[in-house]
Structure formats: C-alpha cells, structure tokens
C-alpha cells in the first residue's frame, strides 16, 4: 500500500444472538457501538484502545481488530507495511453482546475501506457475502457477525457455499440487562449436549419459525416465539442468576431471553415501547426485578457496520 496518509473510520454495532430459539442463527444488531480508526503506516503497528476492555485486550498483532484486518488484507493481496489503530469500545466484553463480532467485522470493513481508497477495483472480490464468510470463519459462528455486518434482524445459516445470511427490518425495541461479571463463550458452549430429544427439536423449530413473524408484524407473539429448547437451560450452571432473571421476567410476561452465550439478558418489546414514557416505565419495573444489574434500553441498529472517511 503506497498511500500512508489514508485513514478510515468505522463504527460497528453490538448484537444479541440466538433470541431464544435461533441458536447460532438469529442475530439482532443493537444501537451501542465500537468505533475504530485505522490508518496505513510506513512500518510497525500501533494500537490504542479506550473504553471497554482498554488495558485488558492485547495491543499487538493478537488484537482482534488487527487480526481480522490482516486476514482481509491478505485476501485482497494488499498488506500495508505498517498499521495504526485507534479503538473506542462501548460494547462490554464477555457479556453476550457481540463484542468480538463487532471487533472482527470492524477490522474486515476497515481493511476493505483502506484498500478501496487506494485501488477501488481491488475490493470487488470482498463484497458483503465474502466479508460475512471471512468474519464468520474468524469468529467461529455466524449469528453475531451477520447482525453486526448487516444491521437489523438477521438469520444466518451454513450452506454448501459457506455462511449466508438474510436481513429483515424488525419492528421491536429492546432492554438489555447486564450483570457485573463476564462468562466465557467457550465455557457456555462446553455445557451444551451433543444431542437433544426429538420433541425438543420439534418444539424449538416451531418457535424459530415464528420469531421472524413476531419481530416484524406480530409483536403479540414475541413471548411464545422466544421460547428456547436448545441451549439456555443447559447453560444454567455457568449463569444461574441470568436464568433465574429470565424466568422471573417471563413469569411477569416479558419476552426475555439469554443474550447470545450470556450472561446478559435481552428483553424484546413491541414497537409501542419505543415511546419514551412507556420505556421509562418498563425500565423502572425492571429495576425492581433485577436489582444490581445495569439496565440499558437499546434500540435496534438498522445500518450495520459503516465507514466514514
Ligand atoms: N450462538 C452463540 C452461542 C453466540 O450461543 O454460543 C455466541 O456469541
């Protein structure tokens, strides 16, 4: 890469995966963002991080944004001699809110944008579909990555040609409840059984088929459509307080689920709740049910990861 003055700015959203029955498939992008500024440099690597995870994440080639960017530069055949990265993180780490997907997608999108500044024709091969495949490979599963890349509500699946995803415009808003301590996704995945009873698979597929409808036109079905039979209960030993909170919220009639691999809890609300007064009332009620948890109303992000500069 010759143009060492080139700088790009990228904003990547948080996301919630699974949404109950859509294990490793459903994703919802949330209006909480990590910002990344990336520049090609004549040599070396400089990484500065502020916000969530600052002081904890590696600031060398192991930094997730850098690893994802390097993989994208490799695919594009344009590895810059040096790189400068500045990140400001707002997505909390280890809480089931897609922080690693946001970092990976930000890295891939920033790398593509940097190469585009220098040689627009060179990035044609790395379109949205190819970025989704690359980011999913780096992440290990596609649900958060699809939502972070495309925004809105996404269904991702693995086909013969690799990971694919569709995006739908949801008519919901959310409240996210975040506990103090993280849970590792590896630990949460390790608790899942190799097989599930056929009756659970049947019940789960019905709910999964219902959820896109509930999210778009039938908010009255959100509660039933968010019932899960594949992962949440199995994960209880790693996050007993989260499961207990989901049960209390559901007993109270809320469409509450474990967000991704946990331990945060996501409450899906029909669009009527986006009215500020209604949201405030709901949040007040949630404070009563979940003392000590951070309670954050979060709109759906509609744009996915975007570039400026
Ligand atoms: N679908 C994944 C899981 C999301 O539940 O393990 C992890 O981010």
């Amino acid at each position: 890469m010759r143009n060492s003055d080139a700088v790009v700015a990228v904003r990547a959203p948080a996301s919630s995966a699974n949404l109950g029955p859509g294990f490793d498939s459903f994703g919802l992008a949330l209006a909480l963002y990590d910002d990344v500024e990336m520049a090609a440099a004549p040599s070396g690597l400089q990484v500065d991080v502020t916000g969530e995870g600052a002081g904890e994440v590696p600031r060398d080639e192991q930094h997730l944004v850098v690893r994802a960017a390097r993989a994208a530069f490799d695919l594009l055949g344009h590895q810059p001699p040096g790189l400068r990265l500045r990140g400001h993180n707002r997505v909390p780490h280890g809480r089931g809110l897609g922080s690693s997907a946001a970092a990976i997608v930000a890295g891939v999108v920033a790398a593509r944008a940097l190469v585009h500044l220098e040689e627009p024709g060179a990035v044609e091969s790395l379109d949205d579909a190819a970025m989704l495949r690359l980011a999913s490979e780096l992440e290990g599963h596609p649900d958060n990555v699809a939502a972070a890349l495309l925004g809105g509500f996404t269904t991702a699946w693995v086909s013969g040609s690799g990971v694919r995803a569709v995006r739908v415009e949801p008519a919901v808003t959310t409240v996210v409840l975040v506990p103090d301590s993280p849970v590792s996704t590896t630990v949460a995945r390790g608790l899942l059984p190799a097989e599930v009873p056929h009756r659970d698979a049947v019940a789960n597929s019905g709910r999964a088929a219902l959820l896109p409808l509930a999210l778009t036109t039938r908010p009255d079905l959100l509660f039933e459509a968010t019932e899960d039979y594949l992962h949440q209960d199995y994960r209880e030993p790693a996050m007993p307080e989260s499961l207990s909170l989901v049960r209390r919220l559901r007993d109270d009639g809320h469409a509450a689920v474990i967000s991704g691999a946990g331990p945060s809890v996501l409450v899906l609300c029909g669009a009527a709740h986006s009215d500020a007064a209604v949201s405030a009332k709901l949040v007040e009620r949630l404070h009563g049910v979940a003392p000590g948890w951070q309670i954050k109303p979060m709109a759906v992000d509609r744009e996915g990861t975007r570039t400026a500069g």
Side-chain angles (χ1 to χ4, degrees):
M1 212 178 264
R2 295 174 301 274
N3 181 0
S4 58
D5 296 331
V7 184
V8 292
V10 167
R11 169 163 276 202
S15 53
S16 183
N18 304 330
L19 309 182
F23 181 75
D24 273 1
S25 175
F26 291 161
L28 187 69
L30 300 170
L32 177 72
Y33 301 97
D34 283 353
D35 287 323
V36 165
E37 209 177 87
M38 192 183 283
S43 65
L45 172 66
Q46 186 188 331
V47 178
D48 295 307
V49 182
T50 54
E52 296 285 342
E56 289 161 24
V57 294
R59 285 172 44 226
D60 54 16
E61 289 290 341
Q62 290 313 305
H63 188 275
L64 201 45
V65 177
V66 176
R67 277 172 49 206
R70 293 290 192 204
F73 286 131
D74 274 346
L75 265 186
L76 293 167
H78 279 254
Q79 199 62 252
L83 211 54
R84 277 188 293 116
L85 184 79
R86 277 197 358 216
H88 182 65
N89 297 335
R90 297 182 190 83
V91 184
H93 291 189
R95 302 298 199 285
L97 291 170
S99 61
S100 58
I104 290 167
V105 173
V108 170
V109 169
R112 184 187 192 280
L114 265 184
V115 174
H116 184 265
L117 284 179
E118 180 137 317
E119 200 180 326
V123 300
E124 270 162 30
S125 59
L126 196 60
D127 57 9
D128 273 2
M131 285 199 286
L132 175 68
R133 286 196 297 274
L134 175 61
S136 301
E137 209 174 284
L138 294 166
E139 172 74 333
H141 36 85
D143 43 6
N144 291 100
V145 159
L149 184 64
L150 304 173
F153 166 65
T154 49
T155 299
W157 71 100
V158 183
S159 75
S161 55
V163 170
R164 299 189 59 200
V166 286
R167 176 195 186 287
V168 174
E169 200 62 59
V172 293
T173 190
T174 79
V175 181
V176 178
L177 298 96
V178 187
D180 271 351
S181 310
V183 168
S184 124
T185 299
T186 312
V187 168
R189 290 181 86 82
L191 291 167
L192 300 178
E195 291 174 6
V196 295
H198 187 264
R199 64 174 179 282
D200 286 354
V202 171
N204 201 81
S205 63
R207 302 312 194 279
L210 198 55
L211 192 58
L213 197 64
L215 286 169
T216 48
T217 56
R218 292 290 305 272
D220 56 305
L221 295 174
L222 276 172
F223 184 84
E224 284 180 82
T226 46
E227 280 167 336
D228 152 70
Y229 296 80
L230 297 187
H231 65 103
Q232 294 186 168
D233 288 349
Y234 295 110
R235 288 172 156 173
E236 187 162 7
M239 53 194 94
E241 287 168 10
S242 304
L243 264 296
S244 153
L245 180 56
V246 165
R247 288 181 193 126
R248 273 179 284 140
L249 291 170
R250 292 189 74 86
D251 285 348
D252 209 20
H254 299 293
V257 293
I258 298 291
S259 180
S264 293
V265 170
L266 174 83
V267 180
L268 291 167
C269 315
H273 282 286
S274 49
D275 169 70
V278 181
S279 292
K281 250 195 204 157
L282 175 65
V283 169
E284 200 185 304
R285 273 215 311 274
L286 293 178
H287 273 294
V289 183
W293 289 59
Q294 282 185 57
I295 299 182
K296 299 168 179 273
M298 274 186 215
V300 171
D301 166 78
R302 312 265 163 198
E303 276 184 67
T305 298
R306 58 278 231 171
T307 322

